[in-house]
Every structure is written in C-alpha cells, then in structure tokens.
Amino acid sequence: VPYIFKGGKFNKMALSEIEKKILQRLQSNLPLTHRPFQDIANELDLDEDLVIEKIKAKRKSRKVKNVLN
C-alpha cells in the first residue's frame, strides 16, 4: 500500500490500479524523448491523455510533486 507523508506522519493513499501503475513508472527515470508521457502510456497500454490527466490530478491534490515543474 503506497503511503504519503503529511502532517508529520505517513498516511495510506488510496489509489486505483491505473494510478499505481503510473506512479510506479514515474519513480524510475522519465523517458528523455519528445513525448515522455506518450512513451509511458505505450509501456502501460494506456492513453497519453489519461496518463497526463492522472498526473495533473495527483499534483493538484499535492500527492505527487516534481513532475512537469
């Protein structure tokens, strides 16, 4: 189960299976290509727009940082 550090302690973070796949992939190096999120989407058999949407949603909720900064 993934955890986030918030309020001085670790809390469980509820994730969908798709979100888990995306976040696990982002923990390794981001592809250094013209369209890295398309490459990740292809690797995970997902749509590029879905990958970007999930990352943006997690950044907005402050559960993911340092992606697309």
Side-chain angles (χ1 to χ4, degrees), residues 21-48:
K21 287 181 180 181
I22 293 169
L23 293 176
Q24 286 172 344
R25 178 55 185 88
L26 288 174
Q27 288 178 347
S28 63
N29 293 330
L30 196 62
L32 298 176
T33 64
H34 180 67
R35 295 184 68 182
F37 299 108
Q38 178 66 56
D39 294 340
I40 290 172
N42 290 342
E43 288 176 29
L44 301 176
D45 197 27
L46 299 171
D47 181 73
E48 178 186 26

Side-chain angles (χ1 to χ4, degrees), residues 10 12 15-17 19 25-26 30-31 33 36 38-41 43 46 51-52 55 59 62:
F10 284 97
K12 288 184 182 180
L15 298 172
S16 72
E17 288 304 311
E19 291 167 333
R25 178 55 185 88
L26 288 174
L30 196 62
T33 64
Q38 178 66 56
D39 294 340
I40 290 172
E43 288 176 29
L46 299 171
V51 170
I52 293 169
I55 293 169
R59 286 195 74 219
R62 298 180 184 250

